[in-house]
Amino acid sequence: MKKGKRFISIKTKLLSIILPVVIVIIVVLTGLSYSVSKDVIEQNAHELLETSVKGQAAKIEAWLDRNLTSFQVEKQALERMEFDKEQMQAYLDAYYNFDSNYPNGICLADTQGRLHQSSGGEEESEKAAEPESAADQSQESGITLQEWFRDGLTRVNMGFTDAYTNKNGDQVISACGMLRSSSNDVFVLSAELSLDVVSIYVNSFVEMEGAESFLVNRKDDTILACRDTSIISKKINELDDEFMQEISKRITSDETDMAEICGNISVFEEVEGTDWLLVSYIPSKMVYQDLDRVRNIMVLFGLVSVLILTVLMERIVHIFIRPVKKLTEVIKRMTDGDFTVRSYTKSNDEIGAMGKCVEKFIEAMRSMISSINGVSDTLRGQADSSRDVSGQMFSASKIQNESMKELNKTIECLSLSVGGIAESATTLAGVVAETKEDGDGVNSKMLETVDVSQKGMQAMQEVSEAMQNIHQSVEKLQSAIDEVDKASEEITNITKVIGNIAEETNLLSLNASIEAARAGDAGRGFAVVASEIGKLAQTSVGSVQNIDKLVMEIKSSIGDVVIQADDSVKNINSSSVLIQNAAKTFDMIFENIAAVNGLVHDMIQKVIHVESVAVDVAAISEEQAASSQQILDSSDILVKQANSLIANSETVAKESEDLTASAEELAVQMGSFKIQGNGAPTVQEVRTRS
């Protein structure tokens, strides 16, 4: 793992992702359930309230219709029957306390202001005795100015007036209608209905618990019926109550749809056939108190569910992550180079398949590491042999260089000697007379020259033999280098096999990642393991690339060594040719010196012929001087070639040392892998077997 990054386990990551999602889901579901429950409860409350107010309104309408129908029947009966005053009074008396809805019975009034009503058992004679005073009393009471009388003159059929307060202080309404008689007199039939029954319908027939109702006359905003009797007959807009004020505004603006007003769910319902408006309302908190209890239960249930799900998910994730953690530990140890571990996975799922693949990979890596260790030891041995051969070649080059330097010195001495001979021969030609005296000196000089020539010839032979030895050593070095090159080819092949295995492992990792992605949340752990295996494969590829790089460097070094060895062979061959030429030249020198020695001897014996012989000797001496100079030049070339040979030998030695160092570095890198365990050979055992 990279430094600086804090390790977070898969279990923590999964729980940190799943738990918030589960909590959010539970919260959302709880909120949705609460919202749906609230909507359902509100809808049920609204429907129940509407049903209640419609039922109340229907009962009021039925009560009004029933009474109105009864009055219409009475009106039709009066119109069809020709009653005289006594009969009419008897008919009217019959309706006194006949119906509790209109206990005072019915009454008739004409346009003259005369009133005929139920007497309640009083004698008709008493009423008839004072007709004028009764008429006067009717006029005084203003019958024709009464609201019910004026409304009755406007309709043929019976109808209801607006609510009003009668002389007894009761809230009543009148059913009235125009009544025609055969005498064409116009009468108004009327009956007062108490609103107590309406109040009962308004106050007692509320189907929803906690709800209340009141009846309002839309024309003048008068409250007709209410549980609070203190506000009956009062104007609703005059009440000091915010709710009533808002109701008044809505009635005035004709906004009679169901709404929540001042914390009360309110419903408006018109009573058909009248200007009455029935208002029913219930406090919102009473409607929502059950909802609040449901909300508290749902919150408690949500908390318990979150707690239970948290424990269950923690256990489930722990069970599923445990083999992943074991496999991760195996992969971490493999990353550290420890291939002694084993992956024991008993499951038959993706993790089990991954563990088996890791086990196969460990076995393959053990085998490859053992093989590479053997190759590394072989390469190191070959590098050591190459280093020994290069050391020997370097020593031989030093010996050759020293021999060539000695040869060069000898040739220089020989050149000086030949020069002296040439000068002596030239002087001999000029001083023939003194030849006899100098003959002994010349003879001794010639003897020295013969000895020097013999030594030079022997040195040249030794140089030739040394060159042969160097040539053989270089051939052995080239053979050893060829073996190293073959070993590097084997290493390259092995690293290719390792690279292919690493690539296959990487492909397996990618396939595992794809399968984990398909598995969704359950496969995220597998994706992490696959990623770790991919990283291990990439690490193996990197190691293989490093080995390839080292092998390529070794091959490059071997190539340079081969080139240097070829150059050395060519230079040695050239040096051998030059040395052979020098040997031939020394042979010629020796033969010439031997001839000179014979001539000098003859010169002593035959002084008479000294002049002619001296001329020949001078010519021969000049040739010898030229040959000596050529030999000296060749000797300089040989010295330069020897210096080049020793430099090349030193380069070969350094390259051999580099090869040895590379082999040791390869061995060190391979030593970082541990493959001991379960019968697998250790690195030391592999080296021993190699």
Side-chain angles (χ1 to χ4, degrees):
M1 297 182 65
K2 295 183 178 179
K3 293 182 178 179
K5 287 189 175 181
R6 185 168 60 89
F7 176 79
I8 302 176
S9 64
I10 299 175
K11 179 179 178 181
T12 304
K13 290 181 179 179
L14 288 176
L15 291 177
S16 64
I17 293 173
I18 295 174
L19 285 180
V21 171
V22 171
I23 292 172
V24 169
I25 291 173
I26 292 176
V27 170
V28 171
L29 290 177
T30 304
L32 289 175
S33 300
Y34 177 78
S35 178
V36 172
S37 301
K38 181 179 179 181
D39 293 339
V40 171
I41 291 175
E42 284 183 348
Q43 185 176 0
N44 291 337
H46 294 168
E47 290 177 355
L48 184 58
L49 198 59
E50 286 182 347
T51 302
S52 175
V53 75
K54 286 181 179 179
Q56 289 174 292
K59 286 181 174 60
I60 294 172
E61 291 173 5
W63 180 76
L64 293 174
D65 290 341
R66 185 171 62 252
N67 286 286
L68 193 63
T69 302
S70 176
F71 294 144
Q72 187 68 28
V73 170
E74 293 172 3
K75 175 178 176 296
Q76 291 176 357
L78 288 173
E79 288 178 343
R80 291 176 183 175
M81 297 178 182
E82 295 295 335
F83 291 132
D84 56 18
K85 290 184 179 181
E86 292 181 358
Q87 292 175 340
M88 182 176 291
Q89 186 62 45
Y91 182 82
L92 294 177
D93 289 341
Y95 278 96
Y96 187 80
N97 286 328
F98 175 77
D99 193 328
S100 60
N101 293 324
Y102 49 99
N104 294 324
I106 59 178
C107 63
L108 289 173
D110 57 15
T111 55
Q112 301 299 320
R114 290 189 295 267
L115 177 64
H116 303 275
Q117 59 183 359
S118 299
S119 61
E122 295 180 357
E123 295 295 337
E124 181 63 23
S125 58
E126 295 179 359
K127 289 185 177 181
E130 299 177 345
E132 296 298 332
S133 49
D136 294 340
Q137 187 178 4
S138 298
Q139 289 292 341
E140 290 177 0
S141 61
I143 296 300
T144 58
L145 299 178
Q146 295 293 326
E147 184 177 356
W148 60 268
F149 186 82
R150 293 198 303 272
D151 287 346
L153 291 176
T154 60
R155 61 171 70 96
V156 175
N157 295 321
M158 295 295 288
F160 290 108
T161 64
D162 293 332
Y164 62 91
T165 303
N166 62 8
K167 60 183 179 180
N168 297 324
D170 299 326
Q171 280 285 323
V172 296
I173 58 172
S174 293
C176 58
M178 188 171 60
L179 180 67
R180 292 184 179 275
S181 65
S182 59
S183 60
N184 293 326
D185 291 334
V186 177
F187 292 90
V188 174
L189 177 64
S190 174
E192 285 185 353
L193 294 175
S194 175
L195 294 181
D196 292 339
V197 176
V198 176
S199 296
I200 292 173
Y201 288 146
V202 171
N203 298 326
S204 303
F205 290 90
V206 181
E207 297 180 4
M208 193 171 184
E209 184 179 359
E212 295 185 10
S213 301
F214 60 91
L215 189 65
V216 181
N217 191 341
R218 299 185 65 173
K219 277 188 175 182
D220 54 6
D221 283 350
T222 302
I223 296 177
L224 303 178
C226 182
R227 182 168 296 177
D228 185 4
T229 57
S230 62
I231 63 173
I232 296 176
S233 301
K234 292 184 179 180
K235 302 289 185 182
I236 190 172
N237 56 1
E238 296 176 355
L239 297 176
D240 188 15
D241 185 273
E242 183 180 359
F243 173 68
M244 291 297 184
Q245 292 290 333
E246 186 65 27
I247 293 293
S248 176
K249 292 179 182 178
R250 287 182 174 270
I251 293 174
T252 303
S253 59
D254 201 20
E255 297 178 5
T256 56
D257 295 330
M258 182 174 60
E260 185 172 347
I261 304 172
C262 298
N264 296 297
I265 300 175
S266 304
V267 178
F268 302 85
E269 183 68 24
E270 293 182 356
V271 179
E272 189 176 355
T274 66
D275 292 326
W276 299 349
L277 186 64
L278 183 61
V279 181
S280 184
Y281 63 94
I282 184 172
S284 300
K285 61 182 181 180
M286 295 185 66
V287 176
Y288 297 144
Q289 62 183 2
D290 293 335
L291 180 62
D292 293 338
R293 185 170 61 255
V294 171
R295 179 193 59 194
N296 296 332
I297 293 173
M298 293 179 67
V299 170
L300 180 61
F301 176 76
L303 293 176
V304 173
S305 300
V306 169
L307 182 61
I308 294 174
L309 288 175
T310 300
V311 175
L312 289 177
M313 284 187 292
E314 192 278 333
R315 287 291 88 196
I316 292 171
V317 171
H318 176 75
I319 292 172
F320 279 99
I321 294 301
R322 183 169 55 188
V324 177
K325 291 176 66 176
K326 294 181 180 179
L327 193 59
T328 302
E329 184 65 25
V330 171
I331 293 173
K332 286 173 66 177
R333 293 181 63 183
M334 289 169 57
T335 305
D336 295 333
D338 185 4
F339 286 91
T340 62
V341 296
R342 294 189 63 84
S343 175
Y344 297 100
T345 304
K346 297 181 180 179
S347 60
N348 56 353
D349 52 7
E350 289 83 355
I351 297 176
M354 194 179 301
K356 292 177 183 177
C357 293
V358 171
E359 184 67 24
K360 291 181 181 179
F361 176 75
I362 292 172
E363 294 295 334
M365 288 300 295
R366 286 175 183 166
S367 177
M368 285 188 293
I369 291 171
S370 298
S371 178
I372 293 173
N373 283 329
V375 174
S376 175
D377 292 335
T378 303
L379 177 62
R380 187 172 62 179
Q382 292 176 351
D384 292 337
S385 299
S386 177
R387 183 176 60 185
D388 295 338
V389 171
S390 63
Q392 293 175 3
M393 186 176 68
F394 183 67
S395 299
S397 299
K398 285 185 177 180
I399 295 171
Q400 180 188 9
N401 188 22
E402 292 175 357
S403 299
M404 291 302 298
K405 289 180 179 179
E406 291 178 359
L407 177 62
N408 192 20
K409 291 179 181 179
T410 303
I411 292 173
E412 287 180 356
C413 293
L414 179 61
S415 179
L416 293 174
S417 299
V418 173
I421 292 171
E423 291 178 357
S424 298
T426 304
T427 304
L428 180 62
V431 289
V432 178
E434 299 177 356
T435 302
K436 185 70 169 73
E437 291 81 0
D438 297 330
D440 295 335
V442 171
N443 189 23
S444 62
K445 292 291 185 183
M446 288 304 296
L447 292 174
E448 292 177 358
T449 302
V450 170
D451 292 336
V452 172
S453 298
Q454 288 178 350
K455 292 179 179 179
M457 184 173 64
Q458 292 176 357
M460 288 302 297
Q461 290 177 353
E462 292 176 355
V463 169
S464 179
E465 291 175 357
M467 290 302 295
Q468 289 296 328
N469 292 330
I470 292 171
H471 183 71
Q472 293 176 358
S473 299
V474 171
E475 288 179 348
K476 291 181 180 179
L477 175 62
Q478 190 171 10
S479 176
I481 291 170
D482 291 335
E483 291 179 356
V484 173
D485 187 41
K486 292 179 181 179
S488 63
E489 289 292 335
E490 293 178 357
I491 293 172
T492 302
N493 294 330
I494 292 171
T495 54
K496 287 181 180 178
V497 173
I498 295 172
N500 292 332
I501 293 174
E503 290 178 357
E504 291 178 357
T505 304
N506 195 13
L507 290 175
L508 289 174
S509 172
L510 291 176
N511 291 331
S513 299
I514 293 172
E515 293 298 327
R518 291 177 179 174
D521 292 340
R524 292 186 179 176
F526 309 145
V528 175
V529 175
S531 176
E532 293 294 332
I533 293 175
K535 292 180 181 178
L536 177 61
Q538 292 177 359
T539 303
S540 300
V541 172
S543 300
V544 169
Q545 291 177 353
N546 291 331
I547 294 172
D548 286 337
K549 185 177 179 182
L550 292 173
V551 172
M552 292 305 295
E553 291 177 357
I554 292 170
K555 290 182 68 178
S556 177
S557 300
I558 291 172
D560 294 336
V561 172
V562 170
I563 294 171
Q564 295 294 333
D566 292 336
D567 293 337
S568 298
V569 170
K570 292 180 182 178
N571 292 330
I572 290 169
N573 291 331
S574 300
S575 299
S576 297
V577 173
L578 293 175
I579 290 171
Q580 289 175 1
N581 292 332
K584 292 179 181 179
T585 303
F586 272 104
D587 291 336
M588 293 176 63
I589 292 171
F590 184 77
E591 292 174 359
N592 291 330
I593 292 173
V596 170
N597 187 25
L599 290 173
V600 171
H601 182 72
D602 291 336
M603 181 186 67
I604 296 173
Q605 297 297 325
K606 297 178 180 180
V607 177
I608 299 171
H609 302 289
V610 168
E611 185 175 5
S612 59
V613 174
V615 173
D616 293 335
V617 170
I620 292 171
S621 297
E622 290 178 356
E623 291 177 359
Q624 288 178 344
S627 299
S628 297
Q629 185 63 39
Q630 185 177 2
I631 291 171
L632 182 61
D633 294 338
S634 299
S635 179
D636 291 335
I637 293 172
L638 287 175
V639 171
K640 292 180 180 179
Q641 293 294 330
N643 291 331
S644 176
L645 179 61
I646 194 172
N648 292 331
S649 298
E650 186 176 3
T651 302
V652 171
K654 290 181 179 180
E655 294 294 337
S656 299
E657 291 178 356
D658 293 339
L659 179 60
T660 302
S662 299
E664 291 177 352
E665 183 179 357
L666 177 60
V668 171
Q669 290 185 356
M670 295 309 299
S672 62
F673 295 102
K674 298 178 182 179
I675 58 175
Q676 184 180 7
N678 298 324
T682 62
V683 177
Q684 187 64 35
E685 289 174 349
V686 173
R687 292 179 179 175
T688 304
R689 293 177 186 176
S690 300

